[in-house]
Amino acid sequence: MDTPTGNLSARDKLLRAASELFYAQGITATGIDAVITRAGVAKMSLYNNFASKSELVAAYIDARHDEWLTLYTKRAASLANGWELILAVFDAYCDHAEFDYEDGFRGCGLLNAAAEMPCGSVERNAVNRHKQQIRSIILEHLNTLPLTEDHQMTTGELAEHICFLLEGAVSLAGLANDTAAITRARNMADKLIEQAL
């Protein structure tokens, strides 16, 4: 996020500008002209790189998720077991919340984007795919843990509980400007996993 804009291609400048504006102001409220002005590129640069605003939104959704995956990969690199790797999902969300956002942290950029898109749209489906990938990461690591046979939840149900904690905390953190909500949810997930072992 700290790459000087002078070193970026026109496409990257446009994507960075769109990312900043979409997150701060919303996708619907952000016009193409505002993105071009923020990026400091010619109008034709937009159409040479993105066929439509919808394509720019899709690139934003992918870039936003890739940012999180990069943060998660860094967190996970030094961890050895599934329990720690699940908690690292929360830590990566905390890292994302700590970025220097223009107007402060507004919650999950993907969920914010999905809220503006109609049901069944390509953009909403992309957000859902990304959220399912996070659930898969949690489920994969849960499957490496020796859960007790008398535990009342299946591994899938436990993964769902953890995802509910995560998404609820991120939403609350954005609404209340309380990023510590993610840490509190992490502690709850930690206890859930402990009870299952």
Side-chain angles (χ1 to χ4, degrees), residues 47-65:
Y47 299 108
N48 288 336
N49 288 283
F50 301 99
S52 62
K53 183 177 179 182
S54 179
E55 192 172 298
L56 180 59
V57 171
Y60 161 68
I61 289 168
D62 289 341
R64 183 91 189 166
H65 184 64

Side-chain angles (χ1 to χ4, degrees), residues 71-149:
L71 293 170
Y72 178 72
T73 301
K74 285 179 186 174
R75 284 282 187 167
S78 62
L79 302 177
N81 66 60
W83 191 342
E84 293 174 333
L85 289 163
I86 293 165
L87 297 180
V89 171
F90 289 83
D91 295 333
Y93 267 84
C94 284
D95 294 341
H96 220 186
E98 295 302 319
F99 280 176
D100 186 21
Y101 294 111
E102 192 171 303
D103 295 320
F105 182 63
R106 297 183 59 238
C108 176
L110 296 181
L111 289 180
N112 293 348
E116 294 192 56
M117 299 295 127
C119 289
S121 67
V122 172
E123 296 86 355
R124 278 181 74 98
N125 290 339
V127 170
N128 184 49
R129 278 194 310 277
H130 292 309
K131 292 299 182 181
Q132 291 306 315
Q133 184 178 2
I134 292 169
R135 183 184 186 281
S136 294
I137 289 169
I138 291 169
L139 187 57
E140 175 188 345
H141 295 309
L142 278 175
N143 282 326
T144 68
L145 298 177
L147 301 185
T148 59
E149 289 184 16

